[in-house]
Amino acid sequence: MKTFQATIFGMAALAIAISAQAQDYRTQAINSMHRDFHAHGIAGMDRLDEDTVQTICNRTGNNPPKDLAERLQQDQFEAIKYPADGNYLGDWKAGEKIAQRGRAMTWRDKIGKTSRGEPNGGSCYNCHEIDKKTTSFGSIGNSLAHFGKTRGYGPAVQKYVYGKIYNAKAFNLCSAMPRLGHSGTLTEAQIKDLVALLLDPNSPVNK
């Protein structure tokens, strides 16, 4: 019995030590970033700051307590700024360019535009298959091919897609998808163009 208890206590002590060590590594990493990262152009020191959602997801391995996740997710949802005109569809051709453009918000860029004078990109191809003709794409996110054809083209779907692009964490708190509207990376018009890319029947996504 004493041997069993000693083993349990030993394992608990080891777990505490490992946890403390992991926490120390996190502190060291954060300190290193603050030491080595310097504000330059539009890239300010605030980029190192976590908001509440990022902190909770990072500290829980993207698995926060359900009640806490639901409350924070609702906060994110209520902060979505939907178009005042009630229109969610833009130009799918412009949306295709945004989805395939990867550059945005580097220190060389201007607010809202790249150093080449182009509007910010959404980098959608980095995580998603855009359409069946795309040959190079990431696989972190689900395929977007036939998105509207599968889910429908109606107003409810349009509003959902707009909100998802604006702030994915309003629908899945620890989503890996960037909060493209919430962060100011994309404008309202650009998000509308991406909605059209996914939901216009004439878009290559739905061919």
Side-chain angles (χ1 to χ4, degrees):
M1 184 67 175
K2 290 182 179 180
T3 301
F4 175 76
Q5 289 179 332
T7 301
I8 292 297
F9 291 145
M11 291 175 63
L14 178 61
I16 293 171
I18 291 173
S19 177
Q21 187 178 38
Q23 181 62 37
D24 185 54
Y25 287 149
R26 176 181 290 278
T27 300
Q28 291 178 29
I30 292 173
N31 289 340
S32 294
M33 287 190 292
H34 279 277
R35 181 195 66 215
D36 297 334
F37 183 83
H38 304 283
H40 201 159
I42 64 171
M45 296 299 290
D46 59 320
R47 294 194 177 187
L48 300 181
D49 299 333
E50 296 175 312
D51 67 8
T52 301
V53 171
Q54 292 168 322
T55 299
I56 293 297
C57 290
N58 288 343
R59 299 303 188 277
T60 62
N62 293 330
N63 189 28
K66 184 178 179 181
D67 59 337
L68 178 60
E70 289 176 347
R71 289 201 303 271
L72 291 175
Q73 195 168 294
Q74 184 62 30
D75 290 342
Q76 296 291 296
F77 184 82
E78 292 174 358
I80 294 175
K81 296 179 181 178
Y82 287 101
D85 62 5
N87 178 31
Y88 303 104
L89 288 178
D91 178 358
W92 70 258
K93 293 181 181 179
E96 187 174 29
K97 293 179 181 178
I98 295 167
Q100 299 288 0
R101 186 182 299 129
R103 182 157 177 166
M105 301 179 75
T106 73
W107 65 271
R108 291 178 179 272
D109 299 329
K110 304 296 183 183
I111 295 177
K113 290 186 177 181
T114 71
S115 59
R116 298 176 181 175
E118 302 170 327
N120 285 340
S123 298
C124 306
Y125 71 92
N126 275 328
C127 297
H128 300 278
E129 177 187 31
I130 305 298
D131 57 56
K132 290 302 181 181
K133 292 182 180 180
T134 303
T135 57
S136 178
F137 52 87
S139 58
I140 295 175
N142 59 302
S143 172
L144 301 176
H146 300 158
F147 189 94
K149 195 173 184 179
T150 302
R151 295 166 177 79
Y153 304 105
V157 178
Q158 293 174 20
K159 184 175 183 179
Y160 163 75
V161 172
Y162 185 96
K164 180 80 172 183
I165 296 171
Y166 188 97
N167 186 352
K169 293 184 184 297
F171 302 87
N172 175 6
L173 188 71
C174 295
S175 171
M177 182 171 169
R179 293 177 280 184
L180 295 168
H182 178 85
S183 66
T185 305
L186 299 181
T187 65
E188 177 182 296
Q190 286 180 299
I191 297 176
K192 286 183 177 183
D193 291 340
L194 288 177
V195 175
L197 176 65
L198 295 178
L199 296 179
D200 189 315
N202 297 312
S203 164
V205 167
N206 296 307
K207 298 299 184 181

